[in-house]
Amino acid sequence: MSERAAKEDWRPVTTRRWTRILPLSPAWLYLALSVAMTWPLAAALGARVPMGAGSDVWVHLWTFWWLKNALLNGWDPLFTPLLFHPTGVSLTSHNIAWLNFALWFPLQATFGNNAAYSLTFLLLFTLNAYAMYLLAAAYLRRRGAAWMAGLVYGFWPYTLSESDHPNMLTVAWLPLALLYVQRAVTRGAWRDSLLAALFLALLGISRWQLLIMAVPVLGLFLLYLLLAHRLAWRRQSWVALLRAGSAAILLMAPFALPVIHAQLTRPFADDLMVYEPSFSSDLLGYIIPHQRNLLWSSLASRLPERVQFGQEQVNFLGYGALALAGIGLAAGRRRAIFWLLMALALMILALGPRITIGGQAYPSLPTPYPLVEEGLLTRVVRRPHRYNVFLGLPIALLAGFGAAALRQRLGPRRTPPLLAALSLLILAESCLAPYPLTKTTLPDWYHRLAQEPEHFAILDLPIAPRQADKFYMYYQTHHGKPLVGGHVSRQPRETIIYMVNSPFLDDLLFRREMNPALLDVSRQLRYLADANVRYLILHKEFATEEQIEAWKDWLTVRPRYEDEETVVYTTTPRAGSDFERGPWLTGEIGLIRAGYGPSYRLQGDLVPVDVRWTAAGPPSADFDVCARLAGQDGTPWLLDCFAISPDWPTSRWQADEVVRGEFLIRIPPHQPPAAYELELLLRETGSQALAGQPVSLGPLVVAPLPRRFHPPTPGHAADLRLGDDIYLHGYDLARAETLRLTLYWQALRRMDRSYKVFVHLVDPATGAILAQHDAAPRQWRYPTTWWERGEIVDETIELPVEAEPDRPLLLLIGMYDELTGERLPVVGRSGERYKDNAFLLPLQSQD
């Protein structure tokens, strides 16, 4: 191709006088379509904003708000003290949409933050379409064809579906970069080189991932220029490219160097190179309508489940765009082949490391992606499906070729109606109506918070950096108080040091719960108060009802504020305003409240006791808490004593201390059945002396255990005495798939020792134990220390039997001291003593 032909190949499209009239400019038409394609966004400016599944909208709104305040107040825009209080956080690796901010900043002064954010969306879609129109007009030299190309690219389904990532919408710079790269190569003019550099820089500044994903497009385009235009081999062309590349690097350097420095010098809690190959495109997703596509949603919902695509991003290309692209290819345009190859290359990258068809992965079908999978740039892109954002560029140009071919075949009179119909089809297939929006509401509490003039921080709960914290950041744009948490794209590790150094915050950060084992409530809250964190705000929207109730119970004190959305607590609870003190056990230690389990219990039952402690001032000593039963005749029955707070002894308490206490007391198995008062009292840890006055928690009725005293009627008599305490009346024995042995014991007196029952199934030929049971009676549920004199206790023991049915076996039965392991002597009716202190029971086949 000659130099003159190459230059003419990219000459601007000629215009007529009427096309220069501003209201009829394609940009205005694209703007009108942007309003229609995002409806009802324009009708709800300020009240609603675009939002996807990831709620990143709140992060972008916060980022714009922060940048505005930083620039207007002379602060460092790349460091904020308002997140991850008290350390603050660097924003050098945060995903800042600088170009979106540049559009938003002048708009917010007139329309407000939220409305300006929505208007930015409309301008981005308009800009994307118009940029492609300019590229296609210069390349195809047909206004109708350029219009179709702009329509396809500007309202590309994948781009429309990225409502959660507005900086992924800023794709206008690539068509303009290609336009001026080609002009720089073919003409070598300084102006073209500088404009190419500007648009390349804008692409990177918009989002670094966009620049990386544009590399295959730019590389293939330059290769095309070198192969298609002989003049591209001239020294002048290479100088122009070098000039453009150098200028682009210089323009991006102020934005890129802080990011590179941060990545090289600072470890990240959420590493920059998080690679997510599972987010790849499904091959069928390109040709089968997505459930979000307006025109085909009804049909898509009736398809087999494996080909129902409902993920956030829409990969569907659209039949209208594909039809036009097919016409362009069929028309035999040689230049169209290049754009087809580019489209295939981008699709292959978007498919990721393995091909997926209808939700089924096929590892045996290789893709080239593994060749670049371990590369730095691939890991920055993170998700392979993101390459679809530029797939619209070659498809749009192929559609433009198709529109030009139709005009050539049908003529200028019949083409416009057809292109109008195809435009409507393309728009209908791309439309995600109603466009996903969310309300910009603010919990009532934050209006109150904004009125407090002092400088202090707050902690919003639950801590959830990937979801709820993004909402908290949006709320901050109204109240302006620092947050303990937050969300940034690449979080430095030092931001979580403050939280992991607190057991309370560490549990909330990693397990989303308040650990009930932490008893020192006010001590944990003081860690926050010492860092000037004034409030804890529990958000009912982001936690279950059970979680909220558990957190409120752990905090013990009354909330400062509560409505349907939030529950607010202070980090410095005070008696009188946040809780009531008393009754008092000593002059220094009292109760906030206390409770216990059911007031009707059996002998030997456990009674859970829940106590919330407070102090009037620093106690003079360390104390334990004791529980006792007071009879109606005034007789005290001491049950047990426990450390009030093992990790936070009372000698370290302060005034208005709030401490949780939970312990289990066991009613003695021989406690006389009666009605009692359950009391708490204190005991000095060192001297063991009781201190202060007892406090009654309430009545507790102790009922007798159901005991059996009438003689048993076992199937086999034993008449054995085990030591001085236990008598074995006999047993029942059944053998099937297991050996089922029921023993009938009798207590000869009350026992203060716990004995374990052993039953060993033994092979008499080898002495090997084939199966065994060793446990306190009734599987530890009824130890011998609970037995009453004369009580009959039966228990059933099952052992597996794996030997042949006719094989003789032995059962060895006895008891031994749980602490010492010493067996109780087994004595028969006639006084004979059994060997090894075990009763031998032959096991025959008929048993």
Side-chain angles (χ1 to χ4, degrees), residues 323-445:
L324 273 177
I327 293 171
L329 288 169
R333 299 289 181 93
R334 182 168 56 89
R335 291 181 300 168
I337 299 299
F338 164 72
W339 300 105
L340 173 64
L341 294 176
M342 180 182 287
L344 292 175
L346 290 170
M347 288 179 64
I348 289 173
L349 288 171
L351 291 174
R354 62 188 60 84
I355 292 179
T356 302
I357 303 175
Q360 176 66 47
Y362 293 89
S364 59
L365 298 178
T367 71
Y369 202 86
L371 298 177
V372 297
E373 192 170 11
E374 297 301 324
L376 172 66
L377 298 184
T378 300
R379 293 189 170 273
V380 173
V381 173
R382 293 176 58 182
R383 300 180 176 184
H385 70 66
R386 286 176 170 163
Y387 283 97
N388 290 315
V389 74
F390 288 132
L391 180 58
L393 191 147
I395 299 295
L397 282 171
L398 287 172
F401 278 116
L406 286 176
R407 185 183 186 279
Q408 184 176 359
R409 180 176 294 272
L410 300 178
R413 290 183 175 274
R414 289 186 292 174
T415 304
L418 179 58
L419 292 184
L422 285 172
S423 296
L424 291 176
L425 175 61
I426 290 170
L427 291 172
E429 290 187 315
S430 300
C431 187
L432 307 179
Y435 200 67
L437 306 177
T438 186
K439 293 182 179 179
T440 56
T441 56
L442 185 73
D444 289 342
W445 161 253

Side-chain angles (χ1 to χ4, degrees), residues 417-484:
L418 179 58
L419 292 184
L422 285 172
S423 296
L424 291 176
L425 175 61
I426 290 170
L427 291 172
E429 290 187 315
S430 300
C431 187
L432 307 179
Y435 200 67
L437 306 177
T438 186
K439 293 182 179 179
T440 56
T441 56
L442 185 73
D444 289 342
W445 161 253
Y446 292 101
H447 294 291
R448 300 188 179 199
L449 183 63
Q451 302 305 313
E452 297 193 32
E454 300 91 346
H455 178 77
F456 56 86
I458 62 174
L459 171 62
D460 293 278
L461 299 176
I463 300 174
R466 292 295 178 185
Q467 184 198 16
D469 282 12
K470 300 176 183 180
F471 289 83
Y472 308 154
M473 291 168 66
Y474 171 69
Y475 302 155
Q476 187 187 63
T477 66
H478 293 266
H479 63 72
K481 309 299 183 185
L483 307 179
V484 172

Side-chain angles (χ1 to χ4, degrees), residues 568-614:
V568 182
Y569 289 88
T570 177
T571 59
T572 55
R574 294 288 178 261
S577 59
D578 301 297
F579 63 91
E580 304 301 329
R581 295 189 298 196
W584 297 95
L585 285 84
T586 69
E588 302 155 341
I589 299 178
L591 304 180
I592 298 175
R593 69 171 188 264
Y596 58 100
S599 59
Y600 181 90
R601 308 298 288 174
L602 296 175
Q603 295 169 319
D605 276 354
L606 289 170
V607 180
V609 179
D610 182 0
V611 185
R612 308 301 165 97
W613 304 93
T614 188

Side-chain angles (χ1 to χ4, degrees), residues 522-601:
S522 54
R523 180 193 179 196
Q524 299 296 329
L525 296 181
R526 268 197 298 274
Y527 182 79
L528 292 166
D530 291 344
N532 198 26
V533 180
R534 180 175 294 185
Y535 296 117
L536 276 72
I537 300 96
L538 312 184
H539 291 264
K540 298 178 180 180
E541 178 183 0
F542 305 119
T544 65
E545 184 177 348
E546 291 75 15
Q547 282 179 308
I548 293 293
E549 291 305 315
W551 294 349
K552 291 170 68 174
D553 179 69
W554 186 90
L555 288 162
T556 299
V557 300
R558 293 190 296 265
R560 286 285 177 93
Y561 175 88
E562 182 173 5
D563 60 17
E564 294 180 354
E565 298 174 292
T566 57
V567 190
V568 182
Y569 289 88
T570 177
T571 59
T572 55
R574 294 288 178 261
S577 59
D578 301 297
F579 63 91
E580 304 301 329
R581 295 189 298 196
W584 297 95
L585 285 84
T586 69
E588 302 155 341
I589 299 178
L591 304 180
I592 298 175
R593 69 171 188 264
Y596 58 100
S599 59
Y600 181 90
R601 308 298 288 174

Side-chain angles (χ1 to χ4, degrees), residues 178-190:
L178 295 183
L179 175 61
Y180 285 97
V181 163
Q182 193 279 340
R183 289 182 177 177
V185 168
T186 57
R187 301 194 302 196
W190 269 89

Side-chain angles (χ1 to χ4, degrees), residues 737-739 741 758-763 767-774 797-803 807 809-813 843:
E737 294 181 358
T738 61
L739 184 68
L741 174 68
F758 67 88
V759 178
H760 295 172
L761 183 63
V762 178
D763 185 342
I769 298 177
L770 304 178
Q772 69 182 75
H773 165 90
D774 286 80
I797 299 167
E798 291 194 47
L799 294 176
V801 181
E802 299 181 358
R807 181 179 179 183
L809 299 173
L810 285 178
L811 278 178
L812 299 182
I813 304 170
L843 188 62

